[in-house]
Amino acid sequence: MSTFTTRDGTEIYYKDWGSGKPVLFSHGWPLDADMWEYQMEYLSSRGYRTIAFDRRGFGRSSQPWEGYDYDTFADDLAGLIEHLDLHEVTLVGFSMGGGDVSRYIGRHGTSRVARLALLGAVTPIFGKAADYPQGVDLSVFAGIRDGLLKDRAQFIADFATPFYGIDKGQKVSDGVLSQTLNIALLASLKGTVDCVTAFSETDFRADLAKVDVPTLVIHGDADAIVPFETTGKVAAELIKGAELKVYPGAPHGFAATHTQRLNEDLLAFVAG
């Protein structure tokens, strides 16, 4: 397997397909790099180099006991970019992964970055804070942690319904649901739980203020997991010159329900 070792000794798995200008994908919770296989195949078949990694604690990466915070995730991402010596890279972050790529820019700048895409991302803030009362109430995330610790497999199986908007009429195959559960259960329980705290309580406003590259924000207006009005809409307003694409009726997991539209939008964006 293709891996690199971080400064604290964690092994990070990644896949690296094709050749050309690089596009680096950061996955959502509780998934791994495999969520991106259709976007990677589509772009690499059209002349781009695509890279996706498993966040520490997830998929085929190591499962350390600690390090599930966004400063560490951003430094892991920096390590991968340096390991592969990527330049002029387009960073694509979905949901929790939108925080990875934003904090990377906040900590490491944009000297290696050409473009940024935030898809259904948790930026600028996901959970409620004293100065962000419109965020999701933190009791929701406490309930998620409790559900994971009681019966993670069943919690993730049930979570797929709102994630893919099945309760709102969206269709995904039984295979997609099986793959989602299988991917999620590869992850560390500790990492899965700790990441709920990380993505619900981290403030990315200072990171977004440092974004100085062309940015695309895509969000579904029927997202029942990461509400558009308090995340994607606000992020697009905070990033100077950002382009916002709203997918009508799309759920959080629109990479699976709106695959072709997403592929085409990403291709147009990376092509500039």
Side-chain angles (χ1 to χ4, degrees), residues 17 38 43 56 80 85 93 116 171 194 228-229 239 254:
W17 295 358
Y38 298 106
L43 292 178
R56 61 171 55 218
L80 175 58
D85 195 25
L116 171 68
K171 304 291 186 183
D194 283 3
F228 166 65
E229 291 291 334
I239 300 171
F254 61 78

Side-chain angles (χ1 to χ4, degrees), residues 82-255:
E82 292 164 8
H83 174 73
L84 297 176
D85 195 25
L86 301 179
H87 295 273
E88 292 295 304
V89 62
T90 296
L91 299 178
V92 182
F94 166 69
S95 193
M96 178 181 182
D100 292 351
V101 294
S102 298
R103 181 56 53 89
Y104 169 83
I105 289 175
R107 285 175 68 82
H108 300 278
T110 56
S111 63
R112 291 176 177 260
V113 180
R115 295 173 179 273
L116 171 68
L118 299 173
L119 315 181
V122 297
T123 49
I125 306 180
F126 189 8
K128 183 179 292 187
D131 62 346
Y132 205 75
Q134 63 268 48
V136 176
D137 195 271
L138 296 184
S139 64
V140 172
F141 306 105
I144 293 173
R145 290 189 293 267
D146 289 345
L148 291 167
L149 291 170
K150 180 180 180 182
D151 186 342
R152 176 169 64 137
Q154 190 59 52
F155 182 89
I156 298 297
D158 293 341
F159 181 72
T161 293
F163 186 92
Y164 291 117
I166 297 168
D167 52 339
K168 303 296 184 183
Q170 293 291 339
K171 304 291 186 183
V172 294
S173 69
D174 290 342
V176 166
L177 296 177
S178 296
Q179 183 187 34
T180 301
L181 181 58
N182 289 339
I183 289 173
L185 293 180
L186 286 174
S188 152
L189 174 60
K190 176 66 157 54
T192 303
V193 172
D194 283 3
C195 282
V196 176
T197 300
F199 66 62
S200 63
E201 298 183 12
T202 302
D203 184 343
F204 300 101
R205 285 176 290 189
D207 304 301
L208 297 188
K210 296 180 180 179
V211 175
D212 58 0
V213 294
T215 301
L216 173 65
V217 177
I218 301 178
H219 218 105
D221 67 3
D223 191 328
I225 306 299
V226 181
F228 166 65
E229 291 291 334
T230 59
T231 55
K233 181 180 179 181
V234 181
E237 293 168 351
L238 290 177
I239 300 171
K240 184 177 180 180
E243 177 185 6
L244 173 64
K245 287 183 177 288
V246 180
Y247 288 4
H252 190 54
F254 61 78

Side-chain angles (χ1 to χ4, degrees), residues 43-58:
L43 292 178
S44 288
S45 295
R46 289 159 177 79
Y48 291 88
R49 179 184 180 185
T50 59
I51 303 110
F53 66 98
D54 292 350
R55 186 179 292 106
R56 61 171 55 218
F58 292 78

